[in-house]
Amino acid sequence: MSTDLKDLIRNPTIAELELVARFAALKADARRERLFEAFAQTGLPGRRIEGWRWTDFRAAVTSLDAPKTAPARDPLVRDGVATLRFTPARYTAPTSLPAGLRLLAKDDVQAMGGAEDAPLGALAAALSGGKTPGTLLVEVGAGAPVHLHMVFEGPGAINASRVVFLLRPGAELHVSESHLGGAALSAALVEFTLNKGARLHRAVYQVGGAGEAQAVTALIEQDGDAESFLTTLALGARVARLETRLVHRETGSKATLNAAYLAGAGLQADITTHVRHGAPSCVTRQLTKGAVLDGGRGVFQGKFHVPRTSGQQTDASMQHNALLLEEGAEVFARPELEILADDVQCAHGNTSGALDAAQLFYLRQRGIPLTQARAMLTEAFIAQALEGAGELEDALRAEAQAWLNHAA
């Protein structure tokens, strides 16, 4: 690694110096260096960087020592579903795969578009691999519905993983992801390219401990008449950011982005999205709901960018609603619409508050204990954000219910 590249990180922390050493130990590659350079321009992002002021990885990741907590159990593993298991610098795959699914492990580093806009995604891409392939390409054949489950886990200094999905025209992919912690710093990059008429159903579950930092970056590009349905349940970590950057590339593309976050004491969950309407007559629907306890922090940042010419006839709506369940809970929200076109239908909304006292009273009058009533109302509040998860909805709701019961 060049000295100039190392010096890009201003006043590096101990953790950043360890990341530099990790990078320097990997096989030299010009694309790998460009990716690490994109990360090094900011280093571990923190409160001095716009968009990261409430999710300070620089302050949270003081070193890369393995945390004391083991990875959480995985509630989304199902029989008959192809499972890719990721641990630091390696993955395992089933011996037989569903028809229409092809895996291609790339030894060389793959380029990443917009790396400067997603520094922790760039870090994942730069550090993925080593003795094992750096990028796993997953090709989904036309007309072949595929259910693929990914597990990013494993104790160790850092877990960096990168998976690239290519959905051929008319293909349909059902993919679930469990980001289960167990590492001081987990950085996962998942990329999806949807060709014309492809369908993506993505369900994400995230959980981490008070000594862990997790970043899950998803890059999605959609061609004409492609459609994606995303459902996320985030339970937070010391810092946890689930970032989705989606581009509508051709007319008729549609996206539904739903998420729920639950943050307890000492934990933080950040749902950040950026959607670019880069073609006429594209549709985006986004709903995010959250609930936070005393000492917890919830973050929502959503942005729709609608260019002047290509974004005409855009139809987009964004909604964020949060519950502060106790005194001392924190919720930060920044919904944005950057609309340069003049023929659009765009809207956004944002609310935060406490549980409805009248509803609590109604349940108490019917003999339901206060803690149970609070859990019931909170579960009902976030349920709408999980309804699009299909057959995984029950599993996600069960995890949310377990969190609420523990919080009570």
Side-chain angles (χ1 to χ4, degrees):
M1 184 191 66
S2 67
T3 302
D4 291 341
L5 180 59
K6 181 178 179 180
D7 292 342
L8 281 177
I9 303 179
R10 184 178 180 182
N11 299 321
T13 64
I14 293 176
E16 288 170 333
L17 289 175
E18 291 185 57
L19 291 173
V20 170
R22 169 76 178 261
F23 170 79
L26 296 174
K27 181 181 178 181
D29 184 288
R31 283 176 291 191
R32 187 187 297 278
E33 183 163 329
R34 284 194 292 271
L35 289 167
F36 194 81
E37 182 177 9
F39 160 74
Q41 289 178 6
T42 62
L44 289 171
R47 59 185 179 86
R48 294 187 178 182
I49 301 174
E50 188 66 24
W52 295 84
R53 66 178 68 178
W54 302 311
T55 307
D56 194 340
F57 273 77
R58 183 178 175 87
V61 185
T62 56
S63 72
L64 298 184
D65 295 334
K68 297 179 181 179
T69 54
R73 69 174 186 84
D74 190 343
L76 303 186
V77 169
R78 293 163 291 154
D79 293 337
V81 176
T83 301
L84 302 181
R85 298 183 180 274
F86 287 77
T87 57
R90 64 177 58 86
Y91 75 92
T92 58
T95 55
S96 61
L97 297 172
L101 184 68
R102 187 167 71 98
L103 303 185
L104 179 61
K106 302 290 290 184
D107 293 321
D108 55 336
V109 180
Q110 305 298 298
M112 170 189 170
E116 292 76 11
D117 297 325
L120 294 183
L123 176 67
L127 296 187
S128 293
K131 295 181 179 179
T132 57
T135 303
L136 181 64
L137 302 181
V138 184
E139 182 178 0
V140 184
V146 176
H147 299 271
L148 181 65
H149 184 81
M150 298 182 296
V151 181
F152 298 94
E153 64 176 351
I158 176 174
N159 184 359
S161 306
R162 184 183 189 184
V163 185
V164 178
F165 290 91
L166 174 60
L167 278 67
R168 294 300 186 186
E172 183 168 356
L173 172 67
H174 291 254
V175 58
S176 56
E177 302 169 30
S178 294
H179 302 266
L180 304 172
L185 174 61
S186 297
L189 175 62
V190 189
E191 300 167 71
F192 300 91
T193 298
L194 279 64
N195 289 164
K196 185 175 179 62
R199 297 289 183 271
L200 168 65
H201 303 262
R202 179 179 183 240
V204 179
Y205 173 70
Q206 178 275 324
V207 60
E212 301 170 0
Q214 292 178 272
V216 183
T217 305
L219 306 180
I220 304 173
E221 295 188 349
Q222 300 187 187
D223 292 342
D225 299 320
E227 191 164 4
S228 58
F229 306 87
L230 278 61
T231 306
T232 296
L233 175 61
L235 302 187
R238 183 175 182 181
V239 288
R241 180 173 174 123
L242 288 82
E243 181 171 355
T244 302
R245 307 183 71 86
L246 186 146
V247 179
H248 296 288
R249 299 195 301 193
E250 296 179 358
T251 300
S253 174
K254 299 178 181 179
T256 300
L257 312 177
N258 291 340
Y261 62 84
L262 301 168
L267 303 179
Q268 181 255 31
D270 176 340
I271 303 295
T272 293
T273 62
H274 184 285
V275 179
R276 176 182 173 84
H277 281 257
S281 302
C282 294
V283 178
T284 301
R285 295 287 181 267
Q286 181 171 13
L287 174 65
T288 303
K289 298 215 170 189
V292 184
L293 297 173
D294 179 20
R297 172 178 290 188
V299 177
F300 169 76
Q301 299 180 108
K303 183 174 183 178
F304 292 163
H305 175 63
V306 185
R308 185 178 306 278
T309 301
S310 58
Q312 301 295 342
Q313 290 88 51
T314 284
D315 182 358
S317 64
M318 175 195 305
Q319 187 71 35
H320 169 254
N321 310 110
L323 287 176
L324 287 78
L325 298 175
E326 299 172 334
E327 292 289 337
E330 294 183 325
V331 172
F332 298 93
R334 188 173 66 177
E336 294 183 81
L337 302 179
E338 185 178 357
I339 303 172
L340 304 179
D342 53 14
D343 182 10
V344 302
Q345 296 184 50
C346 292
H348 71 283
N350 176 59
T351 65
S352 61
L355 287 170
D356 189 294
Q359 293 177 345
L360 276 174
F361 179 78
Y362 177 87
L363 294 176
R364 294 294 307 281
Q365 286 292 95
R366 279 145 184 81
I368 298 176
L370 176 60
T371 54
Q372 184 180 350
R374 285 163 53 91
M376 290 173 61
L377 291 178
T378 306
E379 182 184 13
F381 176 79
I382 68 167
Q384 185 181 0
L386 302 178
E387 289 177 353
E391 63 184 54
L392 293 175
E393 179 182 347
D394 288 344
L396 292 176
R397 292 189 63 169
E399 293 306 306
Q401 182 63 59
W403 184 93
L404 292 168
N405 290 339
H406 178 75

